[in-house]
Amino acid sequence: MILFTVWKSEHQYRGFSLEGHAEYAEEGSDLVCAAVSVLALNTANSIEAFTEDFFRQELSEDGGYLKMEFPEGVSEKASLLMDSLILGIQSIQADYGQEYITLMFKEV
């Protein structure tokens, strides 16, 4: 299962992480893992390309872990991109179920 965690502080995004594999299908054919990965990586790339926001990022080589932190908070543009990411994750969760992906919000 994929655990997708979003950190917020006083209604401002502080980061997100995703851990694990959905195990919806065999490796290389897992649509849930692929969809979550594309959304998360595109969000990271978009924040880097379209904002001036500072962030730290960690990735695992096997693709089972991504962490992105915003120690200085996020701009309005980055916040919109994060809203879009969460909407996409919620849609995947609604379509495929919580047995493959869990979305958590944590106040930090």
Side-chain angles (χ1 to χ4, degrees), residues 15 43 78 85:
T43 298
L85 169 63

Side-chain angles (χ1 to χ4, degrees), residues 9-55:
S9 176
E10 298 180 17
H11 306 292
Q12 185 170 42
Y13 292 110
R14 292 295 178 183
F16 70 88
S17 68
L18 62 94
E19 300 177 60
H21 296 281
E23 298 180 10
Y24 176 76
E26 290 181 29
E27 187 176 337
S29 299
D30 194 324
L31 298 175
V32 175
C33 268
V36 169
S37 296
V38 166
L39 284 172
L41 291 172
N42 188 65
T43 298
N45 291 337
S46 295
I47 289 171
E48 183 174 32
F50 301 127
T51 76
E52 299 295 320
D53 294 34
F54 172 74
F55 61 88

Side-chain angles (χ1 to χ4, degrees), residues 85-101:
L85 169 63
I86 292 165
L87 178 65
I89 296 297
Q90 289 171 328
S91 295
I92 294 167
Q93 186 181 42
D95 288 347
Y96 292 94
Q98 289 189 351
E99 64 268 23
Y100 300 110
I101 182 167

Side-chain angles (χ1 to χ4, degrees), residues 56-76:
R56 289 186 216 120
Q57 188 174 353
E58 294 176 33
L59 295 162
S60 69
E61 288 187 28
D62 75 346
Y65 180 76
L66 169 65
K67 181 178 181 182
M68 191 166 179
E69 293 179 285
F70 309 107
E72 299 170 5
V74 294
S75 64
E76 190 174 322

